[in-house]
Amino acid sequence: MSSTSSPSSVLVETPLRVVGTRPVRPDGIEKVNGRALYGADVQLPGALQGRVLRSPHAHARIRRIDTSAAAALPGVRAVITARDLPPAPDRVEEMGDRTTSLRYVTDNLLASEKVLYQGHAVAAVAATSDAIAEAALALIQVDYELLPVVMTAGAALAPGAPQILPGLRAERMGQRDPQPSNLASMVRHERGDLEAGFRRAKVVIDRRFRTETVHQGYIEPHATTAICQPDGQVTIWATTQGIFSVRSQIAAVLQIPLAHIKVIPTEIGGGFGGKITVYLEPLAVVLSRKAGSLPVRLVMSRTEVLTSTGPTAGSDIRIRMGADASGKLTAAHAELYYEAGAFPGSPVGAALVVSFAPYACATMRVDGYDVIVNRPRSAAYRAPGGTNVAFGVESVVDELAAALSIDPIEFRLRNGVKEGDLRPNNEPYARIGHLECLRALQQTEHYRSPLTGRNRGRGVACGAWGNWGGQSSATAALNADGSVSLNTASTDIGGSRASIAMQLAESLGISYEQVKPRIGDTDSVSHNDVTGGSRTTFATGWAAYELGQKIAAEMTARLAAAWKISAEAITRKSGGFASGTQAVDFAEAARIACDDEPLMVSVTVNPKLYGAGFSAQCVDVEVDPDTGKVTIVRYTIVQDAGRAVHPSYVEGQMQGGVAQGVGWALNEEYVYNERGELLNGSFLDYRMPTACDLPMIETVIVEVANPGHPYGVRGVGEVNIIPPAGAIANAIHQATGLRMGALPMSPPRVLSALLARKNGSKGCGAVSQG
Amino acid sequence: MQAFDYLPAVSVDEAVAALAAGGAGARALGGGTDLIAQIKEGRRSVARIVDLKRIPALAEIKFPPEGGAWIGAAVTCRTLNQHVEFKRRFPGMHDSTHLIGGVQIQGRATIGGNLCNASPAADGIPNLIAHRVRVHVAGPAGARVVPVEAFCVGPGRTVLATGELVVAFEFPASPVRFGAAYLRFTPRNEMDIAVAGAAAAVELDDAGQNFKSVRLALGAVGPTPLLVESAGPRLAGQPVNDASLELAGSLARAVAKPITDMRGTIEQRQHLAGVLTVRALRLALDRARGTRTVDALGRPL
Ligand SMILES: Cc1cc2nc3c(=O)[nH]c(=O)nc-3n(C[C@H](O)[C@H](O)[C@H](O)COP(=O)(O)OP(=O)(O)OC[C@H]3O[C@@H](n4cnc5c(N)ncnc54)[C@H](O)[C@@H]3O)c2cc1C
């Protein structure tokens, strides 16, 4: 890593020409005309079609699996079960979106002793056609011994609850519990004397909240094709947020050296955190090996995606906050119980850091519990854990502000964090744009306009997300005509090919159109962390910036040699190079520089000063008092982008995060029966919003440059999903007088609360006292 | 997806024979927007499919001079949505035919399929009931006519015997000062299935002040779409006012016997049966009177 990573500001001083413009994306045409290749589009000659047998039960012991009839079916080339995977040690490794035991990862791929959720994979087949593979699944006999199911954190932690993971003992603030339970871990951050803080308060609000399991809902189902050659060399086509993460997960699970695995990315139809964990890829490799090295293609159905890939955690949350008469917070306390699903690793750790992140408060305690239940293993989902806890915190803050008769934005400004203040985990903030976002929201036409119409309400909420840097590597080759080939290996989910190429163009002083970005496979460049944590435009973009600096330096050196002068005598002028009377444009300089030897540079980075992102949002809703249906009438999102490299893509991220947040707030939830069977495993009944359910989402980009990036970039992908549920809950309160205590705030829940108020009882979904 | 035989029939007799020969494993095919999806998802196993779309009798649209309409069972929603004369005679039916799926689905989805699929939540059936439609059936034992409210006998189950198919729908002539409407409730504005639905058809007296007749039907609040039988006798002759509308709502609530599932709760559906009935009535009243006092969802302006 070069010297640009010094802890103080690394912002470049020169005016920017490319960053901040809105050029056409390099992958746009292919995606619009349908030629772009996605995971399921990979069709190799002779490929076998695979299918996965999944448990119909949410919790059962596998007594026996008989695959003989399936294996004997003509056309079936391989059948595998957990026995075909190498025995996994209980060794903790970095695996995809978490650090966890290899045993858990392997057991999630193919269940060994027990199935832990409906949809848990138990076997897989590869056959000469999909129909044969499907028929073969029906021939696999699995003898299950049913076990009692445990579906919620409350049930899992109740005394005498059935133990889901045998022998699991909680790690509680660094100490192992003596007794096994369904608690995987408990973490606390705290500062100050909590009860003394609450004693200083004039108003204390103490509330409990519940949120349900929701899925990322990416449009492209998981799909892969893999070949395992007789010599053990593996090639995998994957639709993934990180090809290197796929590689390392396969290497660990199947015990193959990293260099023997090549992962080739396809285009990706969304991931939002859900396409980091591998589900199909290791199975395809093992099937291919067993089937004599034929390629094996595996594609999930939508129902498999919903039952068997990671959604994000449902949660039980308690939020207690106190404020003095001047509206200053005196104490804040959160207890978060997050449902990890069948294996440890809910996003409760991240949620603790989100919790009171926008609020400066000297006295704080946040407790997080990671709880095992018989649901699919949760996976990362856009600002993992943030929406759940912010729903609670922003609802309570709204109540506090109302109780003290303070405008909700004013209340947030009075308590808002700025540089030097502490996050809930007691790390100080660098320069951040929280107050700027709140003030910008205050100034929007939306917030200043009066609320009109019957049954309407307005709500505001804010949120913070820490963002991430991570490792990136990239290479660039200067071509003799002055064009530049840029090679990265960061999955482009949201337009990052363009925003990374723009940073190289900016750094090199050329136009965006002169740079051709490509996304290579795992053999093309070195390690790249996943596209996740809002890191790619920040970190891979930084690598691109450095590539530009290196190319320019090398071109200067070669020109100096050609011109027989010292490099210091050469200056840059409007993209070209000049010295005294000599001046060449960039293309001519490239021709000279590449004359005798090719020019290629490579960069590796791991930038650390990624800078937190903030968002403030305002929503107007209309609640139909007869049906409980909530309609989003108007929505404005303000977000600090640090610097918006490609403002259209920043706006797209902001709108996308809000759209997902609206779905989470209003209708999305996993609905299970008492046996733990998912009842709504389709996009018909898992109700994500469609375009008909959303107004145009208005965006305001705030730019408080991140001093930790040459162009001031902050991650923009995630923080936008944190505030919507809280903002909508607050708007529903204004429209109806009801405080909703559970997500989703769906028509039956809102109606129930409305009817209960009419009848003088408490409806389901209404908020409960802590 | 399992393999099946595909037989395109060109006459009613041929279709009846093919269905009868196929027995329980044979299904008629209209647009396939229900059937193909069910086969793909493994919810229905079918050995033989008899395609009805090429049978001229099932594609007929006729308007008897005395009023009413005769609509072949394989006529698509899209055809009806674009049919000027049908819309002029039965504007209330449009509430259903334009709700079923989007334009692409409507281009394939038939009214016959909507009825014969016998979903309790089908958006077409309550409206057909409100319109007093008679279903013309052909089968191995000859032809028969079934009142549409008696057609469905359970979720996915109808009165049709093996080998029988629906040929056409007979819409009786509408009286003067007649109005009909159908409304459903869905959490999403599109791509959703009715949590509850209500259809209303009213005939008013000459002054437009009193109900001459009322027919109410409900969807998704019982094992089949339901006719609210008490509404006719209780509301005929009553003045049109808030009290009579509220009475209609309570009659609907009393008939509704909903379940709780992933799409809605008993409490919600029971309540919606009343709300949607009142709203559909208001919309039907506006149409009977040529006034505009409510919005497209039947809510007072
Ligand atoms: C995306 C999508 C959205 C949809 N939205 C809606 C909606 O909003 N509201 C709604 O009500 N429905 C909806 N549907 C369901 C479906 O489109 C309708 O029920 C449609 O009217 C079915 O007609 P079809 O011609 O496609 O029936 P098919 O699928 O061809 O047949 C359905 C059933 O009826 C039988 N059948 C068909 N015709 C006859 C006949 N003449 N005689 C005897 N049996 C017959 C078939 O054997 C089959 O069992 C939707 C479907 C899809 C895929």
Side-chain angles (χ1 to χ4, degrees), chain A residues 449-453 456-458 619-621 734:
Chain A
S449 67
L451 189 65
T452 55
R456 293 197 173 178
R458 176 171 293 168
V619 59
D620 295 352
V621 303
Q734 204 186 81

Side-chain angles (χ1 to χ4, degrees), chain A residues 191 196-205 320-332 358-364 396-397 400-418 421-422 434-435:
Chain A
R191 57 179 178 256
F198 280 115
R199 281 194 296 275
R200 284 198 305 280
K202 177 166 182 251
V203 184
V204 175
I205 306 285
R320 184 162 64 124
M321 298 175 82
D324 64 20
S326 74
K328 288 290 282 182
L329 291 172
T330 62
Y359 301 100
C361 183
T363 306
M364 194 178 282
V396 167
V397 166
L400 275 177
L404 293 164
S405 305
I406 303 173
D407 168 87
I409 296 187
E410 179 55 35
F411 184 91
R412 287 170 171 84
L413 278 167
R414 257 178 231 181
N415 293 288
V417 286
K418 53 186 186 316
D421 286 334
L422 297 181
H434 177 47
L435 302 179

